[in-house]
Amino acid sequence: MKFSSRILNIKPSPTLEVTALANAMKAKGIDVIGFGSGEPDFDTPQSIKDAAVRAIESGKTKYTPAGGIAELKKAIVHKFKRDNALEYATSEVIVNNGGKHSFYNLMQVLLDPGEEVLIPAPYWVSYPDMVMLAGGTPIIIETSRDSGYKITPQQLQAAITKQTRAIVINSPSNPTGATYSRDELSALAEVLVQHDILLISDDIYESILYDGNAFVNIANLSEELKKRSVVLNGVSKAYSMTGWRIGYMAGDESLIKKIDILQSQSTSNPTSISQWASVEALMGDQRVIAEMVNAFDRRRRIIVNGLNEIPGFDCIMPPGAFYAFPDIDGVTRLPGWKSIVERYPGPYASSTLTSYLLEEARVAVVPGIAFGIDRNIRLSFATSDDNIIEGVSRMKEVVGRLI
Ligand SMILES: *Cc1c(COP(=O)(O)O)cnc(C)c1O
């Protein structure tokens, strides 16, 4: 069969692939420890589940407006005001089928062929492919450990062309946890205001911040910047609701209207039941978030301290999100590395190490190359303390053989 060049140009989500591989091994009875999946391991809070049950029992099981029910739009407006000091009208917000769908829709209404979207690397695996699916060109701005995995105003200036339509800022970041301060965002904003570029702020990890750091996004800096911004968020990460598929965004009314049209001709409304559950998530007791963040904070210390004891690993303490992103360059300089490359050949060191860890240690991690950087691997620490301790000890044992 012939397929469109659109679909032939994109690759499956590497994080979902690693999870599927680990699950397939588990199904065969192999005891694999999974650090691949990017989702909280906690159950969805009971009050949110109860709201969904109430929605089912009261017959809220039919089509809703394509862009979401009025009650949820009001809850989103309330949330932006309460948590982010951002004022929006309900006509400036829309509900989508997950945050991934929000970004997908945004690309579809924004881009014509050849138009560019700036994506700082390491990036979330899906951004470049969603840009390409819309016919656009992802422009990757590379960062390193030295810059804290954050872009500088100089890099930004150098990357902007006449074709640039948007930039995506994901802070705290998946996969690095890097979090931009108010001053760093202001410095980027000085460059951005000189150009007509849409600022996309992917705030999905806003509540998963450690060490008492307060969240700030680029739309917070001025009314002018807010007008140029689209703020994207969702309930998946904050409320452990990945399976419910509710994301949302806020921005210019004319843009939101176009996304409403796209959604009305593609997916129609996000699930009615999930929408009612999300009203409860956003309006109900917010302490459920702090409880999860406390657990993540404890696990963050366990995993980072453990990873730094593995030969050749060098891991910073991430300031946000729930991923450890160790630099593994040192592993490639261990005496035994060459024999590993012979067994798992390929151009990418991070993939070679990932295969070795999966086969020998039965530990599933994601190669950094999936996020646009080959010097690292990503481990989600949204898993139990016991899994972390056991997984890290297995990795230490098999990497130790390379000394
Ligand atoms: C998880 C995630 C999302 C959205 O996930 P959904 O489940 O589709 O809402 C968006 N951006 C980043 C960076 C993520 O890691």
Side-chain angles (χ1 to χ4, degrees), residues 176-190:
T176 65
T179 305
Y180 288 84
S181 69
R182 181 177 284 271
D183 287 348
E184 287 163 342
L185 290 173
S186 296
L188 297 180
E190 278 182 33

Side-chain angles (χ1 to χ4, degrees), residues 293-353:
V293 174
N294 282 338
F296 288 144
D297 194 11
R298 186 184 65 243
R299 296 164 175 184
R300 174 178 77 125
R301 290 165 204 282
I302 300 173
I303 197 164
V304 171
N305 293 335
L307 289 170
N308 280 325
E309 285 178 14
I310 300 177
F313 275 59
D314 186 359
C315 190
I316 56 166
M317 194 63 78
F322 43 66
Y323 307 101
F325 199 61
D327 185 310
I328 48 110
D329 195 49
V331 180
T332 67
R333 283 185 265 109
L334 296 175
W337 177 251
K338 267 179 82 181
S339 69
I340 301 307
V341 177
E342 277 160 24
R343 277 164 65 191
Y344 307 101
Y348 299 117
S350 60
S351 300
T352 294
L353 181 62

Side-chain angles (χ1 to χ4, degrees), residues 98-100 124 127 170 174 202 204-205 236-237 242 245-246 323:
K100 188 181 274 185
W124 184 39
Y127 295 138
N170 174 217
N174 173 5
D202 180 347
I204 199 96
Y205 295 103
S236 283
K237 309 290 160 64
T242 44
R245 311 309 306 132
I246 296 291
Y323 307 101

Side-chain angles (χ1 to χ4, degrees), residues 51-52 55 58-77 89-91 93-96 246-248 260 263 268-283:
S58 59
K60 297 196 167 90
T61 52
K62 302 294 175 66
Y63 288 136
T64 78
I69 55 176
E71 289 81 353
L72 182 51
K73 287 188 176 178
K74 278 188 207 140
I76 291 166
V77 166
T90 49
S91 58
V93 301
I94 187 157
V95 187
N96 316 104
I246 296 291
Y248 54 85
D260 195 293
Q263 208 152 280
S268 291
N269 63 273
T271 310
S272 59
I273 300 150
S274 295
Q275 290 191 63
W276 285 102
S278 299
V279 172
E280 172 60 29
L282 295 177
M283 301 299 289

Side-chain angles (χ1 to χ4, degrees), residues 353-394:
L353 181 62
T354 299
S355 303
Y356 178 62
L357 293 175
L358 190 60
E359 303 250 317
E360 294 293 320
R362 288 159 285 115
V363 167
V365 305
V366 187
I369 194 65
F371 309 95
I373 187 168
D374 195 33
R375 279 182 76 105
N376 301 66
I377 56 173
R378 190 193 80 174
L379 295 91
S380 161
F381 53 83
T383 183
S384 69
D385 297 23
D386 287 348
N387 271 348
I388 292 172
I389 293 165
E390 171 64 17
V392 169
S393 129
R394 288 186 191 180

